[in-house]
């Protein structure tokens, strides 16, 4: 499932490529025909990411709310200018005018496509996206690009195409509805003041009898944390996932928030959920290229803990797999 960093990256690509332009909107799959017809011909004027949701504003007080859920993704094609804050991790300022290509000087691309710049969301291994980036020279012969698969919503400017597939939510909202949706969400370090966010997070966690491993995934408690970041933040805090929120020491709760602030900014910059520290250049390169090398406990069930050697456990928590070390997180 795309976690908060992906949604912020998507919003930044929208800011660079879609906002300020008039869009043609359609629903090739047919499930958002009415909504698309409302958007069609309007100018996109603003975009916001909060946690796992993106809000795209059009003139006339029309907002599009998208939640990618487990399987959703945005695919960009045509001219894709890359936001400088995203591209800076790779040492480039992010600009391309090649059709269908995103050119990077020296990105470390994940083998599974996790930090692809042209497809953000649930990884889709069936379609070859990486080749567009690695050759950097492929011309898009057809414009607009042919529709592939079940595209819920296609947003098209003169130069850029954004296709949405498989979202959990894709709805139009009024400004009041957007405000109400956002009001229900917990603090997001890239939206809210980080100090105020910390106080909100601490106050909420410290009064709940719910296990901290569940609270971290609760989007009304904190925005943007998904299954990978949950496991990693808990491990980094050496915190038992089963401890009720109200029993977790306040300084540990604060440290978890501050860790999320750090990890989220790394995630937005690199496109990857890099959760390990102090890697030497070789290990860093390996970790950026392969997910299995960049987490402490996530997806390591049955393997020895990287710190103490104890076998990492996996259990179901709120329907999602939770990984933890019973010794480090006793
Ligand atoms: Zn351990």
């Amino acid at each position: 499932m795309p976690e908060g960093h992906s949604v912020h990256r998507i919003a930044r690509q929208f800011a660079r490529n879609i906002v300020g332009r008039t869009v043609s909107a359609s629903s090739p799959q047919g499930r958002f025909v009415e909504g698309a017809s409302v958007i069609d011909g309007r100018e996109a004027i603003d975009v916001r990411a909060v946690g796992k949701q993106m809000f795209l504003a059009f003139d006339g007080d029309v907002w599009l709310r998208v939640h990618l859920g487990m399987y959703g993704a945005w695919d960009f094609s045509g001219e894709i200018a890359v936001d400088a804050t995203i591209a800076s991790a790779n040492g480039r300022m992010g600009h391309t005018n090649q059709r269908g290509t995103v050119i990077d000087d020296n990105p470390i691309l994940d083998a599974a496509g996790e930090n692809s710049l042209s497809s953000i969301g649930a990884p889709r291994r069936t379609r070859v996206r990486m080749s567009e980036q690695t050759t950097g020279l492929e011309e898009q012969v057809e414009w607009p690009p042919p529709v592939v698969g079940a595209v819920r919503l296609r947003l098209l400017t003169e130069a850029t195409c954004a296709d949405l597939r498989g979202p959990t939510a894709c709805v139009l909202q009024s400004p009041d509805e957007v405000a109400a949706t956002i009001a229900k969400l917990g603090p997001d370090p890239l939206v809210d003041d980080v100090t105020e966010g910390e106080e909100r997070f601490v106050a909420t966690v410290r009064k709940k009898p719910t296990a901290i491993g569940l609270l971290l995934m609760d989007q009304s408690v904190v925005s943007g944390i998904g299954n990978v970041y949950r496991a990693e933040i808990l491990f980094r805090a050496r915190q038992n996932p089963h401890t009720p929120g109200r029993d977790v020491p306040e300084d540990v709760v604060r440290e978890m928030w501050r860790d999320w602030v750090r990890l989220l900014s790394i995630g937005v910059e690199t496109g990857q959920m890099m959760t390990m520290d102090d890697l030497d250049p070789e290990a860093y390169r390996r970790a950026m290229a392969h997910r299995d090398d960049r987490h402490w406990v996530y997806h390591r069930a049955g393997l020895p803990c990287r710190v103490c050697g104890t076998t990492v456990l996996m259990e179901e928590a709120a329907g999602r797999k939770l990984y933890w070390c019973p010794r480090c997180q006793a």
Side-chain angles (χ1 to χ4, degrees), residues 235 305 307-310 325 327-328:
F235 180 83
C305 170
V307 171
C308 74
T310 303
C325 172
R327 183 164 175 196
C328 292

Side-chain angles (χ1 to χ4, degrees), residues 248-263:
V248 179
E250 184 177 324
D251 60 327
V252 175
V253 181
R254 289 192 185 280
E255 184 45 40
M256 285 194 290
W257 167 263
R258 289 171 196 178
D259 207 28
W260 174 224
V261 174
R262 278 190 293 271
L263 294 176

